[in-house]
Amino acid sequence: MDRIGIIMKGIGGFYYVKIGEHIVECKARGVFRKDGIRPTVGDRVKLSENLDLIEEILPRKNLLSRPAIANIDYIGIVLATKNPNPDYLLADKMLIYSCIQDIEPIIIINKIDKAKQTDIDRIIEMYENTGWKIFLVSSLTGEGIEELSHGLTDGITTLAGQSGVGKSSLLNALYPKFNLEVGSVSQRLGRGRHTTRYVELLPLPSGGMIADTPGFSSVAIQNIEDRVVANCYPEFVEYNYGCRFGSKCIHVREPGCSVKENVDKGNISRHRYERYIKILEEIEERGVDYR
Ligand SMILES: Nc1nc2c(ncn2[C@@H]2O[C@H](COP(=O)(O)OP(=O)(O)OP(=O)(O)O)[C@@H](O)[C@H]2O)c(=O)[nH]1
Ligand SMILES: [Mg+2]
Ligand SMILES: [Zn+2]
């Protein structure tokens, strides 16, 4: 039998590793602790002969912290149409974060059952010319869930977004067998409790794997050059060639900036552009860091 698998879950010193269609329970070799390496959900690992010990952690593509998860291929940035209202600034920071980590974002707009078409259009307008996939779903009515499921056929996807946007509900809708704990959104605060407490990878019927992550996912963006941030905006990059300073332009104060011109022409979302300026200022002042 193959001895290479993926860590699906780790609880109380035990790891649950998926090898083919089997899940085996194992412990980690003591040496990892000494080396300061912690086996992490998403890690590809090699097990001992009798499959009860993790012997080796294969090189990682990436490693996200808080919550710790390795080898992520896609991040589903989840926004709710309302309750809670979309936090676009957070979404844009997450989009930059995924770009820096070399993870492809997917935009998921949930709770469309609660929204008027004009509200949904407002969200789409901001992101439609980024080229990122946008899915409109309701985990309550099931609308759009099948389309989303067809979009998750390979790799590891993690969902990120404010507490209460419906990440756990979405997973349940994608695959009711999950039966994850769903919290009630507090009416008073208008935001959910952090119901999900640990990370677990779940195999999707469509072929990919998805991670349910605890509540408010963290974003840390520090010591990043402005130009790197600008390159995380595909709709800006599209117009770069027209800027007088070309790819050196960060589209803030430069003369002859084609990006700014196209914001004025309505080809680039002004909201996205204004938040971009705000994010640059924030990075310069103290870095972006949520815990
Ligand atoms: N109307 C409506 N309500 C939804 C939808 N999806 C989720 N909800 C509700 O939103 C609340 C929060 O859902 P959760 O799935 O717990 O949200 P979460 O993002 O996992 O929250 P945390 O685990 O706290 O990060 C619950 O009361 C859900 O029933 C939807 O599509 N439409
Ligand atoms: Mg949850
Ligand atoms: Zn420019």
Side-chain angles (χ1 to χ4, degrees), residues 12 25 49 52 61 104 130 136 142 154 159 224 233 238 257 269:
E25 186 187 84
E49 204 84 48
D52 61 355
K61 172 185 167 183
E104 193 177 320
T130 59
L136 303 175
D154 67 304
L159 298 181
I224 301 281
Y233 286 71
E238 198 181 323
C257 173
S269 158

Side-chain angles (χ1 to χ4, degrees), residues 50-225:
N50 52 356
L51 306 178
D52 61 355
L53 217 53
I54 295 174
E55 281 194 336
E56 196 185 330
I57 298 172
L58 304 187
R60 292 167 176 155
K61 172 185 167 183
N62 52 38
L63 176 66
L64 308 195
S65 54
R66 298 179 274 125
I69 179 158
N71 298 322
I72 295 294
D73 299 295
Y74 307 100
I75 289 191
I77 313 268
V78 186
L79 292 160
T81 56
K82 55 173 71 137
N83 200 16
N85 285 330
D87 184 340
Y88 297 112
L89 189 61
L90 176 65
D92 286 356
K93 288 171 181 175
M94 286 176 167
L95 288 162
I96 294 168
Y97 182 69
S98 56
C99 162
I100 292 166
Q101 296 275 356
D102 193 19
I103 305 171
E104 193 177 320
I106 298 167
I107 294 168
I108 303 172
I109 303 170
N110 189 35
K111 308 200 188 186
I112 56 166
D113 57 284
K114 285 194 147 189
K116 293 194 289 277
Q117 189 59 43
T118 49
D119 295 331
I120 298 170
D121 290 344
R122 258 196 82 215
I123 309 178
I124 295 174
E125 258 167 42
M126 288 196 204
Y127 298 103
E128 64 186 346
N129 58 356
T130 59
W132 293 318
K133 282 195 192 129
I134 303 177
F135 292 95
L136 303 175
V137 301
S138 167
S139 49
L140 195 72
T141 66
E143 211 181 329
I145 296 296
E146 205 177 318
E147 288 83 347
L148 176 60
S149 151
H150 291 316
L152 305 172
T153 52
D154 67 304
I156 299 178
T157 301
T158 185
L159 298 181
Q162 297 152 268
S163 184
V165 291
K167 299 180 293 297
S168 299
S169 307
L170 268 173
L171 293 177
N172 281 327
L174 281 165
Y175 195 26
K177 215 167 100 186
F178 290 159
N179 238 326
L180 301 167
E181 205 183 332
V182 171
S184 59
V185 172
S186 152
Q187 289 298 331
R188 209 151 34 90
L189 292 169
R191 60 198 192 94
R193 295 175 289 133
H194 289 251
T195 309
T196 305
R197 278 175 294 268
Y198 60 89
V199 189
E200 180 172 3
L201 275 188
L202 306 157
L204 287 169
S206 53
M209 278 184 278
I210 196 156
D212 188 26
T213 61
F216 199 97
S217 296
S218 69
V219 190
I221 307 168
Q222 264 137 354
N223 305 319
I224 301 281
E225 280 182 51

Side-chain angles (χ1 to χ4, degrees), residues 250-268:
I250 55 156
H251 327 302
V252 184
R253 277 175 290 268
E254 295 89 340
C257 173
S258 161
V259 166
K260 279 190 286 181
E261 279 165 23
N262 281 284
V263 170
D264 290 336
K265 283 185 194 154
N267 295 329
I268 291 173

